[in-house]
Amino acid sequence: MLHYIYADDLHFFPLMRDTMFRDRADQFKRRLGWAVSVNERGEERDEYDDMNPLYVIWQKADGTHGGSMRFLPTTGDTMVNDHFSHLTDGVKIVSPLIWECTRFCLAPKADRRVAAALTVAAGELMDEFKLEHFVGVFDPRMERIYRLMGLSPEVIGRASHDGEDIGVGLWEMHADAFGPTLEKAGIDRAMSKMWFRAAFEHARPYLDERAIA
């Protein structure tokens, strides 16, 4: 199932939290060879995990992490503005209608449905928070996965960074994309909405405040 969890609340889900950060280390450090730091616990974390981002996490039947993404409003600190503005000719992307999406991660041997489910979750965030785009830095090797998800980015910058090709893109999800993506994920829209609203119903005013901050 899908979870929407702010970093401040990850301690309520220790198994899912710990396996997420370990899976991130496996994907970004070992498989993709990114210049990321892995701590003594075998976890990949960075300074943006300390900024209370919103995580979307697919939880497997055994309670562990199946896949995830990390979101931050561009009205605050973001990776694309802090470290990659040279890819956008120095133009910073700042808007309450655009959130940054980073650390798209799939657990090793993740079910094919997971990527589709995460795509649905991104669409729900866009719909419920009234967002227009997500922005993110991406490895061009991930573009095939994005195409399979039916969510290819509008590339707004691409260059070599520390010897690696890297891009910056904008994503949006139109209403007509939900049907095919839900089918790939094996869930329906009612279930998707239920998961989203269950995550936030107890603190709706707080959610609305964060969404427009």
Side-chain angles (χ1 to χ4, degrees), residues 17-211:
R17 174 200 62 198
D18 295 347
T19 51
M20 176 180 71
F21 288 122
R22 289 199 293 268
D23 285 346
R24 276 175 35 175
D26 179 75
Q27 176 170 312
F28 300 123
K29 185 74 171 181
R30 187 182 68 81
R31 287 187 274 154
L32 293 178
W34 288 9
V36 297
S37 298
V38 176
N39 65 22
E40 66 282 357
R41 291 167 54 88
E43 301 170 335
E44 188 278 313
R45 296 174 180 254
D46 65 16
E47 65 267 35
Y48 299 96
D49 293 302
D50 298 327
M51 297 179 184
N52 200 31
L54 175 63
Y55 299 96
V56 172
I57 307 174
W58 178 266
Q59 182 183 32
K60 295 194 292 188
D62 63 1
T64 61
H65 165 265
S68 56
M69 300 181 291
R70 182 180 68 186
F71 295 89
L72 280 167
T74 59
T75 49
D77 291 328
T78 58
M79 184 180 293
V80 67
N81 288 332
D82 295 345
H83 299 287
F84 297 100
S85 60
H86 62 286
L87 298 180
T88 56
D89 295 326
V91 177
K92 292 196 172 184
I93 299 169
V94 180
S95 169
L97 302 179
I98 303 175
W99 279 28
E100 181 181 63
C101 177
T102 55
R103 293 305 195 255
F104 177 85
C105 176
L106 297 175
K109 300 180 181 178
D111 188 297
R112 289 185 177 183
R113 296 177 303 161
V114 176
L118 292 174
T119 302
V120 170
E124 295 294 6
L125 282 175
M126 193 167 281
D127 182 41
E128 295 279 346
F129 284 20
K130 309 306 178 189
L131 304 176
E132 293 182 354
H133 292 92
F134 295 122
V135 64
V137 177
F138 66 93
D139 186 315
R141 288 170 288 182
M142 293 291 291
E143 288 187 79
R144 181 183 67 85
I145 294 176
Y146 299 143
R147 285 196 299 272
L148 291 173
M149 294 162 62
L151 207 63
S152 295
E154 175 191 347
V155 180
I156 58 175
R158 195 191 296 268
S160 180
H161 180 80
D162 292 338
E164 299 176 354
D165 289 335
I166 196 164
V168 174
L170 287 171
W171 283 261
E172 58 183 327
M173 187 165 179
H174 299 290
D176 58 4
F178 273 102
T181 310
L182 286 162
E183 185 175 352
K184 290 178 183 177
I187 58 179
D188 60 28
R189 192 69 189 277
M191 177 67 74
S192 174
K193 285 292 187 187
M194 184 186 73
W195 285 336
F196 185 94
R197 290 170 180 167
F200 296 117
E201 198 63 40
H202 65 288
R204 191 74 207 186
Y206 187 42
L207 167 65
D208 293 339
E209 180 181 321
R210 291 192 183 199

